[in-house]
Amino acid sequence: MPLSSKSVAIVYHSPYGHTAKVANHIAEGVKKVGVQVHLMNVEHVDWDVLDQADAIIFGCPTYMGSLTSALKLFMEQSSKRWLARTWQGKLAAGFTNGGGLSGDKLAVLQQINLFAMQHGMLWSGLPMMPTGRGQNDLNRMSSFLGLMTQSDNAPVEVTPPKGDLETAMWFGEYTALMVNRIK
Ligand SMILES: Cc1cc2nc3c(=O)[nH]c(=O)nc-3n(C[C@H](O)[C@H](O)[C@H](O)COP(=O)(O)O)c2cc1C
């Protein structure tokens, strides 16, 4: 598939690699529709790439029912862009990985959503009907505001499960399709 001129940046935090694995699957989904993708660890932010992207997908693990401090720091560091309205009109989406089935992951998506709204971005969710609650099911967390995945306290090679990773890929593909719809 030819690359479009559109690009999606995925900025994430992942101390133990599970959220990074999810981010990688989101990126695979974006690539499926020929949109360029930039994967970016929040500890090494390229602000120019973010400014030029048509969409930014933000993600981090759920810590104590909240964002991780690294993602929060990034949010505060974006305040000059907030003032200048640099990201206004860009598409935004969010994801989080947690150890619990609920684990209060929704609070993280809500915080990312509010951050995007503060910037005047356009929110894109996860309009996928859950297929069930098993490890191979899609959207087994039944999340619609954004992507939720769950990892056990086990190596990144075995968790999050297949269904969560496939949901992540679908989420990336969907977000990229939305980017292509914006003129
Ligand atoms: C300090 C701390 C707090 C955590 N709090 C939560 C929580 O509130 N909810 C939850 O589902 N998981 C919680 N977890 C589990 C992490 O979300 C999980 O280990 C993480 O998503 C793994 O992602 P990573 O491999 O990308 O670092 C917590 C883990 C740590 C270390």
Side-chain angles (χ1 to χ4, degrees), residues 106-167:
L106 178 61
V108 173
L109 294 183
Q110 288 172 330
Q111 286 157 29
I112 294 173
N113 170 239
L114 283 173
F115 168 75
M117 294 299 99
Q118 286 244 347
H119 273 281
M121 300 173 85
L122 307 173
W123 189 254
S124 183
L126 175 63
M128 175 193 251
M129 289 306 287
T131 62
R133 295 181 196 146
Q135 303 251 310
N136 292 333
D137 277 306
L138 299 175
N139 197 11
R140 73 185 167 111
M141 301 284 132
S142 298
S143 175
F144 297 97
L145 185 60
L147 172 69
M148 291 181 187
T149 55
Q150 182 267 332
S151 60
D152 296 327
N153 191 13
V156 72
E157 289 74 27
V158 297
T159 188
K162 181 169 168 275
D164 288 14
L165 298 175
E166 283 176 2
T167 306

Side-chain angles (χ1 to χ4, degrees), residues 15 44 48 79 129 143:
H44 308 283
D48 291 338
S79 63
M129 289 306 287
S143 175

Side-chain angles (χ1 to χ4, degrees), residues 13-20 61-65 97-100 102-103 105 151:
H13 182 222
S14 182
Y16 297 100
H18 300 86
T19 312
T62 302
Y63 270 17
M64 312 306 292
N97 183 76
S102 160
K105 289 191 280 292
S151 60

Side-chain angles (χ1 to χ4, degrees), residues 9 11 50-51 53-58 74 78 81-82 85-94 112-124 182:
V11 54
L50 294 183
D51 293 347
D54 298 284
I56 309 178
I57 306 178
F58 308 93
F74 159 79
S78 76
R81 283 160 172 82
W82 172 84
R85 304 280 81 198
T86 310
W87 295 350
Q88 192 162 308
K90 275 187 205 303
L91 208 67
I112 294 173
N113 170 239
L114 283 173
F115 168 75
M117 294 299 99
Q118 286 244 347
H119 273 281
M121 300 173 85
L122 307 173
W123 189 254
S124 183
I182 297 172

